[in-house]
Amino acid sequence: LRLDPIIGAALPYVDILHMNEEELESLTGCTILNTTESQFEDEFAIASAINTFLLCGVAVVAVTRGKRGSFISCGDEARFRQSPGLPASWVDCTAKISATELPPDTIINTNGAGDSYTAGLLVAAMLRHTGLTVPTLDTSNI
């Protein structure tokens, strides 16, 4: 990736990179089988591919996996110093986030799911960086 004249040159300037696992496979050549038997191999492949982006200078890499949840990994302190808008508490952090289990008959429209995920990640970064909190809604009258 680093040697790619377009993508490689841009990666050190990317603060937050979000992609789904199909995009990760396409960009890095990793293989994700998504079988019960391949769970650990898949997670290792994803972590290794994410690390490639971190080594190329991306600060935060998030990979969504649909019903399998998501992975987020963050760069080191030196990289975060280049992006003062990112929360320092995220330096060198990695998280595996489970997806919410829905009832079996739930109809799901995934249009905009990736955009919503990215928006949530951006808001989380802003809130962590600024120390602001989100007011709690009173839903007792709803």
Side-chain angles (χ1 to χ4, degrees):
L1 282 173
R2 188 175 299 180
L3 298 177
D4 184 280
I6 309 253
I7 293 174
L11 291 175
Y13 303 99
V14 176
D15 288 340
I16 298 177
L17 176 63
H18 166 232
M19 69 194 95
N20 62 41
E21 59 189 357
E22 291 84 15
E23 294 162 333
L24 183 70
E25 286 179 304
S26 176
L27 288 169
T28 66
C30 74
T31 301
I32 302 168
L33 300 175
N34 281 330
T35 65
T36 303
E37 297 79 23
S38 68
Q39 177 182 351
F40 295 112
E41 291 85 358
D42 289 349
E43 290 178 5
F44 181 79
I46 291 167
S48 296
I50 286 174
N51 194 50
T52 299
F53 286 100
L54 295 176
L55 290 172
C56 288
V58 178
V60 178
V61 181
V63 176
T64 49
R65 307 189 64 211
K67 66 182 179 181
R68 291 177 184 82
S70 63
F71 280 88
I72 301 174
S73 287
C74 302
D76 61 18
E77 188 175 350
R79 176 56 182 88
F80 269 62
R81 268 191 250 116
Q82 298 173 18
S83 302
L86 292 175
S89 62
W90 287 10
V91 170
D92 288 324
C93 287
T94 298
K96 177 183 172 189
I97 302 164
S98 300
T100 301
E101 185 92 18
L102 298 174
D105 295 335
T106 304
I107 297 172
I108 301 170
N109 180 345
T110 59
N111 286 339
D115 295 334
S116 298
Y117 184 94
T118 302
L121 190 55
L122 291 171
V123 168
M126 182 214 45
L127 291 173
R128 291 282 178 154
H129 175 72
T130 62
L132 295 174
T133 57
V134 176
T136 305
L137 283 176
D138 178 9
T139 58
S140 62
N141 296 330
I142 297 177

